[in-house]
Amino acid sequence: MLASSMLSRGLISSRTSSFWLRSPALVRRSTNNSTNNNAAKEAVKKSESSSAQPSVAKTSADAGSKSFAESNPFLFQLAVATTKTSAADIMVQVVVDKKKWNEIDYKRNAIFVVFGFAYLGGFQYWLMVTKFNKWFPTRTRFAALPFAEKLKDTAGMLDAVKMVVFDV
């Protein structure tokens, strides 16, 4: 769940997302830093070119190689946020309030479902993906860099700190 959110927010790259999303294909990492730097630069160029161009229909081969979370990040975020909010409320009713399964207040749970769908799934996706791209322009490039390069990138680290402060 967290990985899809991180992927959609640009905090992890699609190169590492297959590991975080438990994709069957494991990501191979080269030990050569120049290869990692070149891969990061190519990822940034690819993301910049894809965001600058109008959306084009993808081929079936390209769409088949991506997971559902990668190809439909907004729908995936809506489903995850709605499900986890509903499950959290049911857990509180059963564990904290000590209600039996047949005593669960489904009206109350429906309010949590609407909240999870609209605010956590919709509004926060819009905020974290759309607005964060404008407010923190280095985040996509910073996410594609290897860890050693991130430590040297002061502009990217400053934007990362700003995002954390904004979240607080």
Side-chain angles (χ1 to χ4, degrees), residues 42-78:
E42 290 173 13
V44 170
K45 287 179 185 176
K46 183 179 177 183
S47 69
E48 287 174 351
S49 66
S50 66
S51 64
Q53 297 174 351
S55 60
V56 179
K58 300 194 185 254
T59 64
S60 61
D62 186 34
S65 65
K66 290 185 174 184
S67 69
F68 179 78
E70 288 177 314
S71 58
N72 303 296
F74 181 66
L75 292 176
F76 187 74
Q77 173 68 18
L78 286 174

Side-chain angles (χ1 to χ4, degrees), residues 88-105 108:
D89 178 55
I90 290 173
M91 184 187 74
V92 167
Q93 289 189 47
V94 171
V95 175
V96 177
D97 297 342
K98 307 259 190 251
K99 291 183 178 181
K100 304 283 185 210
W101 284 98
N102 60 353
E103 298 173 337
I104 291 176
D105 183 1
R108 167 183 153 170

